[in-house]
Amino acid sequence: MRHALILIAIICSTVALSGCTETSNTLSESAGVPVAEVPEIAHRVSSASGTIDSIEYKGLNLSMNQCLYIFGRAIVMLASNEKGNIPVREYGNPESPDGRLSSAKLTRAEYVDIANRTCTWMDKNGRVPNHVGIRQEGARDLSPDTVLRLFVKVLTEYRSTGKLPETVTVP
């Protein structure tokens, strides 16, 4: 009886350990990026010094265009408590990037709206938008780089607190 219990304990611990390794440390383009992983990717982007064109995370090499989409989609999903994976697709560069807004304080509703409109536009057009507007009367547009920094800021705060911030200041 004692040997049987020891054997059962060994089998259970082996199964538990194999279950841990099943959630591998690699991600794939075909499976997409789990929304729960995105704040860590944003943190790594925020920690990078200088301008970067891509970032490697758990076996995926993501361009900044892909990060813009993934970060925006994650913000929308986190705002509505959605779980799941975000598809990894290729997106072209903006044709004529523009944006005149140098700083702003955005509410949660505003930056979630910006994230949703950015992703919707990228899905429809297959590339990064030239600029994204804030839906305030007379507000200037945000450049793609500013939108990326906005999304990174939101997600790194989420990583620290477990909540989307009520307001965020850009840049």
Side-chain angles (χ1 to χ4, degrees):
M1 180 72 170
R2 182 174 175 201
H3 291 287
L5 290 175
I6 291 172
L7 183 58
I8 290 171
I10 290 171
I11 291 170
C12 288
S13 63
T14 302
V15 169
L17 288 175
S18 68
C20 290
T21 57
E22 217 171 285
T23 57
S24 132
N25 282 337
T26 60
L27 299 175
S28 70
E29 283 190 23
S30 61
V33 178
V35 71
E37 298 276 351
V38 177
E40 182 60 32
I41 300 170
H43 171 70
R44 291 188 184 190
V45 169
S46 75
S47 299
S49 59
T51 303
I52 57 173
D53 294 324
S54 64
I55 189 159
E56 192 278 326
Y57 182 76
K58 293 191 176 185
L60 282 178
N61 191 23
L62 300 169
S63 71
M64 286 301 103
N65 292 349
Q66 289 170 317
C67 285
L68 181 69
Y69 181 84
I70 291 167
F71 295 170
R73 182 61 59 212
I75 289 169
V76 172
M77 290 173 74
L78 291 168
S80 59
N81 294 316
E82 289 180 54
K83 307 254 186 275
N85 291 0
I86 300 167
V88 178
R89 299 183 184 123
E90 293 295 324
Y91 295 98
N93 292 325
E95 291 176 349
S96 183
D98 186 24
R100 295 185 176 86
L101 185 69
S102 57
S103 67
K105 184 174 184 177
L106 302 172
T107 65
R108 178 179 165 160
E110 289 169 328
Y111 70 72
V112 170
D113 177 60
I114 289 169
N116 189 47
R117 287 186 290 117
T118 299
C119 292
T120 300
W121 199 93
M122 290 176 75
D123 282 336
K124 182 179 177 185
N125 296 284
R127 66 179 174 84
V128 174
N130 291 330
H131 58 267
V132 181
I134 300 173
R135 291 199 175 166
Q136 293 176 352
E137 191 68 35
R140 295 181 174 188
D141 296 331
L142 301 168
S143 70
D145 289 339
T146 303
V147 173
L148 181 67
R149 285 189 300 234
L150 165 67
F151 293 172
V152 165
K153 200 169 198 179
V154 168
L155 291 166
T156 53
E157 185 164 331
Y158 180 87
R159 180 181 174 267
S160 297
T161 65
K163 297 177 185 176
L164 290 174
E166 290 303 316
T167 61
V168 66
T169 304
V170 290

